[in-house]
Amino acid sequence: MSQQLSSFIKDWAGKMDVELKKCIADLQAPPPLLEAMEYSLLAGGKRIRPIFLFATLDALGHDPLKGKHAACALEMVHTYSLVHDDLPAMDDDDYRRGKLTNHKVFGEAMAILAGDALLTHAFYLLAKNAEGMKPEQFVTMFQEFSLLAGPNGMVGGQAADMLGEDKKLTIDELYYIHERKTADLLTSAVRMGCYIGQASPDQVIHLTTYAKHIGLAFQIQDDILDEIGDEAKLGKKVGSDKDNDKSTFVSLLGVEGAKEQLHQHVQQSKEALAKAEVLSDRLADLADFMVQRDY
Ligand code: GRG
């Protein structure tokens, strides 16, 4: 990874911790709920969705900080999805980001409520801070984010994933799941950056295509890392897909086949990016990071 990209990721991931802390600092709620929310929100994580939003703003010539509230909303929705995904009724995981999962520390009921609270507060935050946008643009951004995070997007993808658990899926079915479960929230991050950074309609089209391929590349690398990654770097158990006989890009295509698909999506993301004619290399570097990342 280039030194420049690695400092961009490190700086902005650090700034996210500060911003996320501020976002929940004034909440009036029972302390155990606040603790459970903060525990998962500030447990680390790559902050990759905010980083794509910030990089999009940078690429459009804007100060990335303009997107700080939208970035917090994205990270809150992402964190709620992880807290709920780890519950016994779903993946039943004990560790996430190298720490005990939320329900292991606070109990199932509080973990469910912490997830609910992060989800609802994300939309409050977004609505309260319109980032100096024109009202109609803000409404479009808000609608899209709700759509991509909800039944048409991430939640629908998670439901399709659960329903496919005991079946050997086809590659098309796998793509259906991951376009929703993983790619939609990343796409939302880039499109939020487009709206806040006043991208032209053509740029929105090309950056959306870029983001969809990035989302798929991200998931394929996730599947590869579950097979050949390092538990200490990932902060979670590896091999769980195989243990659970789960259909993944690796189980359907093998590690080499999955790597080939990963490279294809990165290539396609870069082709779309070239058409967007943006001002910095940040998004192209992030596309390469999809292949290089080992955490
Ligand atoms: C429960 C509604 C609901 C949705 C859950 C995100 C998710 C959907 C499930 C988690 C399991 C998984 C492998 C999802 C695919 C997306 C993905 C790779 C999530 C992990 O995101 P990272 O790697 O996590 O960005 P960190 O911890 O770095 O933030």
Side-chain angles (χ1 to χ4, degrees):
M1 192 189 341
S2 76
Q3 186 54 43
Q4 263 189 334
L5 183 67
S6 123
S7 342
F8 185 84
I9 292 179
K10 210 162 153 240
D11 288 357
W12 286 97
K15 283 180 187 147
M16 274 310 289
D17 278 356
V18 177
E19 292 305 324
L20 285 167
K21 251 186 220 160
K22 283 192 216 158
C23 287
I24 53 170
D26 296 331
L27 286 177
Q28 304 287 318
L33 176 64
L34 295 176
E35 265 176 62
M37 289 167 74
E38 182 173 309
Y39 176 82
S40 290
L41 204 52
L42 300 179
K46 294 180 283 301
R47 313 297 192 202
I48 204 74
R49 295 149 193 84
I51 282 164
F52 272 98
L53 190 161
F54 294 139
T56 304
L57 283 165
D58 181 78
L60 293 168
H62 288 261
D63 178 358
L65 262 189
K66 274 190 174 176
K68 67 182 182 185
H69 293 111
C72 288
L74 272 166
E75 196 61 16
M76 284 185 177
V77 167
H78 168 60
T79 304
Y80 114 76
S81 82
L82 298 181
V83 171
H84 282 189
D85 184 64
D86 290 334
L87 287 166
M90 292 210 203
D91 268 8
D92 196 8
D93 278 316
D94 293 351
Y95 287 92
R96 164 80 63 186
R97 296 169 167 175
K99 293 175 73 175
L100 283 172
T101 44
N102 199 293
H103 64 276
K104 284 277 159 193
V105 180
F106 300 96
E108 273 181 58
M110 200 50 81
I112 292 170
L113 289 172
D116 294 342
L118 289 168
L119 172 62
T120 40
H121 196 58
F123 286 95
Y124 169 77
L125 256 185
L126 196 61
K128 190 157 184 289
N129 300 281
E131 320 276 12
M133 296 170 71
K134 292 192 189 113
E136 63 278 13
Q137 242 182 344
F138 176 76
V139 169
T140 305
M141 180 178 87
F142 197 93
Q143 278 180 0
E144 265 184 21
F145 179 43
S146 333
L147 200 67
L148 291 171
N152 267 44
M154 183 184 73
V155 178
Q158 174 78 351
D161 191 19
M162 278 176 47
L163 293 166
E165 250 164 26
D166 298 323
K167 301 181 194 133
K168 182 162 165 59
L169 301 176
T170 64
I171 194 78
D172 287 346
E173 287 167 334
L174 200 62
Y175 267 109
Y176 176 93
I177 290 170
H178 293 303
E179 277 162 11
R180 285 155 188 77
K181 181 173 156 181
T182 309
D184 276 355
L185 207 57
L186 264 160
T187 302
S188 188
V190 170
R191 286 181 69 97
M192 280 173 152
C194 285
Y195 289 122
I196 298 166
Q198 290 159 20
S200 70
D202 268 359
Q203 283 178 318
V204 178
I205 291 170
H206 298 310
L207 289 174
T208 301
T209 306
Y210 161 86
K212 287 186 173 168
H213 286 293
I214 289 289
L216 291 167
F218 184 75
Q219 180 61 49
I220 296 170
Q221 182 67 334
D222 212 66
D223 289 356
I224 294 173
L225 289 173
D226 192 72
E227 178 79 14
I228 58 169
D230 176 345
E231 273 182 20
K233 283 188 181 148
L234 290 164
K236 61 176 183 184
K237 226 170 90 228
V238 296
S240 60
D241 291 339
K242 201 184 251 171
D243 293 349
N244 297 328
D245 212 10
K246 201 172 157 79
S247 292
T248 67
F249 287 96
V250 170
S251 75
L252 295 192
L253 306 170
V255 172
E256 288 313 311
K259 281 187 179 169
E260 208 173 289
Q261 291 276 311
L262 166 65
H263 283 282
Q264 273 178 26
H265 285 296
V266 168
Q267 180 58 29
Q268 285 169 292
S269 77
K270 285 184 173 177
E271 284 164 18
L273 182 61
K275 294 186 193 151
E277 296 180 353
V278 292
L279 301 171
S280 83
D281 292 337
R282 208 72 82 192
L283 290 170
D285 291 347
L286 275 170
D288 290 328
F289 176 62
M290 293 301 105
V291 180
Q292 294 156 356
R293 76 179 176 98
D294 58 4
Y295 69 100

